[in-house]
Amino acid sequence: MQRLEKFVDPLPLLNTLQPSNKTRNGAHYDITMEEFPAKLHRDLPRTTLWGYNRQFPGPLIEAFRDEPVSVTWHNELPNRHILPVDTSIHDLDKLPTVRTVVHLHGMETKPESDGHPDAWYTRNFQVTGPTFTQRTFHYPNHQRSSLLWYHDHAMGLTRLNVYAGLAGMYILRDKHEASLNLPSGDYEIPLMIVDRSFHPDGSLSYPAQPNDADPNLPNPSIVPAFLGDTIVVNGKIWPYLEVEPRKYRFRILNASNTRGYRLSLDNGEVLHQIGSDGELLRKRVEMEEIGLQPAERIDVIIDFSELEGQTIILKNNLGPGADPADGMGEIMQFRVTEKLKSKDTSNLPVNLSYVPSLKQDEIKTVRYLKLVGSTDEYDRPLLLLNNLKWHDPVTENPQLDSTEIWAFINTTNFSHPIHIHLIQFQVLDHQTFDLERFNEDGTLLFTGAPQAPLANNRSWKDTIEVPAGTMTRVIANFGPYTGEYVWHCHILEHEDYDMMRPYRVITDERKDKK
Ligand code: C2O
Ligand code: CU
Ligand code: CU
């Protein structure tokens, strides 16, 4: 399809959803998944999407620390999918085609509210999956302020449900953050970045099979990666935003299936990064460019105060397709054309938060977890964690409130953003090893000293890029709840097949009984 003209539609600003009711037990929301038409670009016919409350991104939820939120996520989707469903994986031919379950990514909550992939349900809860227990999910919000996001997590369908539009953002605030006097109100803007492809009639394009697929492959057949040719921010294709000459705070999420970005400004100004996935950083860092893998979030301040009248492009320097001629090298445009409404009294603080290091904790267990490439019976790529599939029994059982190190050993040729539910972790280091040697005889031969994470990855994280041929170690304290959670690669095509594993937080007694 011909490329759509850039920067012709204004960036949609997201409205905060009002709760359906508020009681002593917190705010309750009813949110409904539905099919709806959306105008994503001036020159593109309407696109059929799936969205929460007929919106893409879904409605913004704002919460305050220690004030609980509950949500009933209603499924009113049609019974046929708008995208090609591969039923050859996970015995999906035996299950209803359209299944959903919502995960609030980054939230510390009980397993029943975490959106376990097998806790799926169909329209109006008619059919429910094996781990489904309740219709309303509870979010305690007993954690640090941050940008979280909710998205579909149904087993074997996550890539398609999210691509169809089932993703939204959730901002958790607290007193400490409020005391910093960061840009707020109209000057704090959440941005959800995704890549998509379209047919000329406006419909979403997602491959039914890999390019030049073997005729023996199932049809549809899952693809090992998806890279779109169009950028969509807050539901508009390559939008622009008119800003005042002052500081703005942007809460940025990469909600793409596979694509990672490296963001920078085309005028050479730095991005003042103040937060990452799980909280503010200890100290502000000035970044010339910031890597953003699927599911990662960054909290940045851009200072437009000296840029009156200028046009600035938020660029992406990470391929494929990132060279300017290819289109994917640009995300959106800022136009410093608005008059300053009032003096900018917000701060750009250096010291942001106290983040205690977990390194001094007693380490109960170190787990070595391999990211492995293999092939399935059709000779398709099958990516695995520790050579196990999603439905194999639990092998990781951290004890409640114990601190563990998880060492991810990436033996494949590309990086994987690894995400652990329930907890926020700290990245210890990345260490390269001889990948060729490993693939020959399984020897793990390190080729360098452990490297500290980048300065902007030294706070709380729940998703981290594990580069090819490295061992990346993270440290976390497991709790405050027990039960079954999951960890996985957040490239959705990998997560669905089959880079996802259950893990269980257990108590001592339970372990003794075994
Ligand atoms: Cu955002 Cu299990 O993932
Ligand atoms: Cu998550
Ligand atoms: Cu992966």
Side-chain angles (χ1 to χ4, degrees), residues 148-165:
L148 296 86
W149 66 297
Y150 56 91
H151 60 79
D152 195 75
H153 217 302
M155 196 267 299
L157 286 180
T158 298
R159 71 194 183 290
L160 304 174
N161 289 352
V162 172
Y163 192 81

Side-chain angles (χ1 to χ4, degrees), residues 406-467:
W406 288 26
F408 304 113
I409 301 167
N410 184 354
T411 72
T412 75
N413 287 319
F414 29 86
S415 62
H416 301 271
I418 298 294
H419 168 50
I420 308 177
H421 284 213
L422 176 66
I423 52 97
Q424 293 287 327
F425 53 69
Q426 291 171 3
V427 183
L428 291 176
D429 44 41
H430 305 277
Q431 190 171 12
T432 55
F433 62 88
D434 187 337
L435 190 52
E436 236 168 84
R437 175 75 190 271
F438 181 87
N439 287 329
E440 263 160 40
D441 62 7
T443 311
L444 192 62
L445 187 69
F446 288 107
T447 50
Q451 300 289 316
L454 295 177
N456 64 329
N457 282 339
R458 290 183 198 165
S459 177
W460 296 105
K461 296 275 296 164
D462 56 44
T463 308
I464 185 68
E465 176 175 8
V466 179

Side-chain angles (χ1 to χ4, degrees), residues 415-417 489 491 494 499:
S415 62
H416 301 271
C489 174
I491 291 178
H494 297 179
M499 260 189 147

